[in-house]
Amino acid sequence: MSLTRELVRIIRTKPVSEQDLRWSAYFVLDTLSCALGALKTEPARMLKAVAPPETGDTARRAFYLGGIAHILEMDDLHRNSVTHPGCVVIPAAWAVAEERGMGGHAFLKAVLAGYEACCRVGNAVGKAHYRVWHNTSTCGPFGSAMAVAELIGLSDDQAVWALGNAGTQSSGLWEFLAAGAMSKHLHTARGAESGVLAAFLAKEGFTGADRILEGEKGFFAGLCPDPVPEAVTAHPDGPWELTRTSIKPWPCCRHAQPTIDAAIGLHAELGGATPARITVGTYQAALDVCDRPTPEDPYSAKFSLQHCVAIALMDGRVVQSSFDKEARARVAELRGKATVGKSPTIDAAYPDAWGSEVSVETTDGRKFNAVRRACKGDPENPVTDAELAVKARLHLTAGGMSGEEADRFIAAVNSLVEDRPVAELGLFRRGGEPPVARRRLA
């Protein structure tokens, strides 16, 4: 039996509890609020100009929502697979469920299935894959295809075809970071769209490779120098991978967040003392992506360990404005005191744990240290329902909703566990603006 066929079997025989549905709604709220919070950004304008959701087909709406969901860098993260599954899986599932008038239960189950496919494939790509390839973009189409397969009732054979054609569309290179380009939003947009297309084609009988993962000229052979194929089907009776996913508290690369967590803790301890030297010890993947001593734009700053540790130490918090021109100038001197390197202990624990060690020596000779093995927002240290609601409300109001509208939207998303029709939230009814159905969201 091929890996994709076994993956379909594992997903379709996995029980879904009421708590699993609640977890699914939790991540739907996080993803949708991140997407709607980005509506006023310039990348969102560009995506809408090319793929207007009010006039496009289902795949194009998934493209648009997938693109805007990743703009703020606040969407979720699955550590073992190093993927952001929500911004690919949920847009695809939402576009299909809304278009077809489906209820919340079917939608939330499809989201669970999509996360499972994306994360299990991501668990198997090996560490070297991430040095060149953006895992969310390469593994995401498997997740979006599986979610849509559940919603449109594909047979097992058709689901395998969908995954085969999702895999052959895998792409997404890290080169965009060197120029501070916007391609990362395209990665998630295409990841969502590709899965929709793959599933719809399979429904028509369009076949895909059964051995797309392990075949001689398949995904692992082409994209993965050190794959771990057995990880695709490991621990079939374990919890849903969605429940092992982290929520981001801060608007930047997830690799920088353990460092931020540690630095915010040190901010209070410093009591205003001036750092003379800052040392960050992390894992190699974080250095590969986030060793940027002199970021020259907001996006580069979000991928700079040096900037993130400096702004967190100085301000004791990190928000969207922490990466703008004024903030970068304000911490330039402090940022220059930061040295980043690999910690053998932290690196050995990756990717099961994404940690950081931060040390600060002050000008008066005192030394302060903080270690984070699990970051705020990880399953071991989760954000609470109230904290997620605060995060969602901030995003939704930034995107154009009033506070009252945001609260109603949050309640409506949570009510999907009661099988509320997805279309009642009206996400695409005015080209991606805040839902016009909000009067019905009481």
Side-chain angles (χ1 to χ4, degrees):
M1 183 181 293
S2 72
L3 286 176
T4 49
R5 193 168 294 276
E6 181 66 7
L7 178 59
V8 170
R9 186 196 67 79
I10 288 171
I11 291 171
R12 289 186 163 173
T13 58
K14 204 172 187 68
V16 178
S17 69
E18 182 177 345
Q19 184 57 44
D20 291 328
L21 293 180
R22 293 189 181 281
W23 272 110
S24 184
Y26 187 79
F27 283 90
V28 169
L29 174 59
D30 186 57
T31 298
L32 294 183
S33 65
C34 287
L36 295 175
L39 287 176
K40 294 184 178 180
T41 65
E42 187 63 6
R45 181 199 66 76
M46 297 173 185
L47 288 165
K48 183 180 176 183
V50 173
E54 74 274 22
T55 59
D57 60 15
T58 306
R60 190 46 56 99
R61 288 196 293 275
F63 175 95
Y64 171 74
L65 184 55
I68 64 174
H70 202 46
I71 289 173
L72 297 182
E73 289 289 341
M74 285 291 284
D75 48 307
D76 60 30
L77 184 283
H78 184 269
R79 290 174 299 180
N80 290 78
S81 64
V82 201
T83 62
H84 303 277
C87 60
V88 178
V89 171
I90 290 169
W94 188 278
V96 173
E98 183 181 66
E99 182 67 26
R100 298 191 171 213
M102 304 184 77
H105 283 178
F107 166 68
L108 295 175
K109 289 177 181 178
V111 168
L112 285 166
Y115 271 64
E116 197 75 8
C118 173
C119 296
R120 283 181 170 272
V121 172
N123 289 344
V125 297
K127 290 186 178 182
H129 178 83
Y130 190 69
R131 294 172 190 162
V132 176
W133 299 99
H134 182 200
N135 292 20
T136 302
S137 186
T138 57
C139 306
F142 292 97
S144 53
M146 191 69 222
V148 177
E150 299 303 272
L151 289 170
I152 66 176
L154 295 189
S155 69
D156 287 353
D157 282 342
Q158 291 171 328
V160 170
W161 298 341
L163 293 179
N165 284 321
T168 207
Q169 296 179 81
S170 291
S171 62
L173 298 162
W174 278 112
E175 183 60 24
F176 73 89
L177 270 179
M182 298 178 182
S183 305
K184 200 160 184 265
H185 317 320
L186 178 62
H187 290 180
T188 56
R190 289 289 288 169
E193 180 189 46
S194 294
V196 174
L197 292 172
F200 282 4
L201 285 167
K203 185 72 171 178
E204 298 298 319
F206 195 96
T207 61
D210 188 271
R211 290 167 55 83
I212 189 63
L213 291 171
E214 73 274 31
E216 182 181 351
K217 298 182 179 180
F219 181 81
F220 292 150
L223 280 66
C224 306
D226 57 350
V228 188
E230 60 271 20
V232 175
T233 55
H235 309 297
D237 299 324
W240 287 95
E241 293 295 326
L242 179 144
T243 68
R244 302 176 65 238
T245 304
S246 302
I247 296 287
K248 277 188 179 182
W250 300 292
C252 59
C253 180
R254 180 58 179 75
H255 290 305
Q257 302 218 356
T259 296
I260 290 173
D261 200 358
I264 288 176
L266 290 177
H267 169 82
E269 293 186 40
L270 288 170
T274 303
R277 278 180 289 278
I278 305 165
T279 304
V280 176
T282 186
Y283 47 92
Q284 186 60 50
L287 297 173
D288 291 342
V289 176
C290 295
D291 183 3
R292 299 178 183 280
T294 55
E296 297 179 354
D297 55 74
Y299 205 64
S300 295
K302 291 185 175 189
F303 285 81
S304 168
L305 285 166
Q306 292 89 342
H307 179 81
C308 287
V309 72
I311 198 75
L313 284 171
M314 180 172 285
D315 293 352
R317 63 174 193 152
V318 174
V319 295
Q320 286 290 346
S321 60
S322 299
F323 304 94
D324 62 21
K325 184 176 181 179
E326 183 277 331
R328 296 196 308 276
R330 183 161 53 87
V331 300
E333 182 179 355
L334 184 59
R335 187 172 62 230
K337 299 176 182 179
T339 300
V340 304
K342 184 167 69 174
S343 160
T345 303
I346 297 296
D347 186 63
Y350 176 83
D352 294 328
W354 293 33
S356 181
E357 302 169 347
V358 177
S359 300
V360 176
E361 182 177 346
T362 61
T363 54
D364 58 7
R366 289 181 293 159
K367 295 181 179 180
F368 300 83
N369 300 282
V371 178
R372 294 294 184 270
R373 307 296 183 193
C375 184
K376 177 66 175 177
D378 284 344
E380 302 90 340
N381 186 20
V383 297
T384 65
D385 291 350
E387 288 170 335
L388 177 61
V390 169
K391 175 185 174 182
R393 196 175 192 271
L394 286 171
H395 287 331
L396 294 169
T397 53
M401 289 190 192
S402 69
E404 183 179 354
E405 289 166 348
D407 291 340
R408 286 202 295 266
F409 184 81
I410 291 168
V413 173
N414 288 332
S415 71
L416 291 170
V417 298
E418 300 164 9
D419 209 23
R420 185 174 199 152
V422 170
E424 284 191 4
L425 278 75
L427 205 62
F428 290 118
R429 295 304 175 234
R430 269 171 49 198
E433 296 175 13
V436 298
R438 52 182 174 253
R439 294 187 184 87
R440 301 198 302 272
L441 299 183

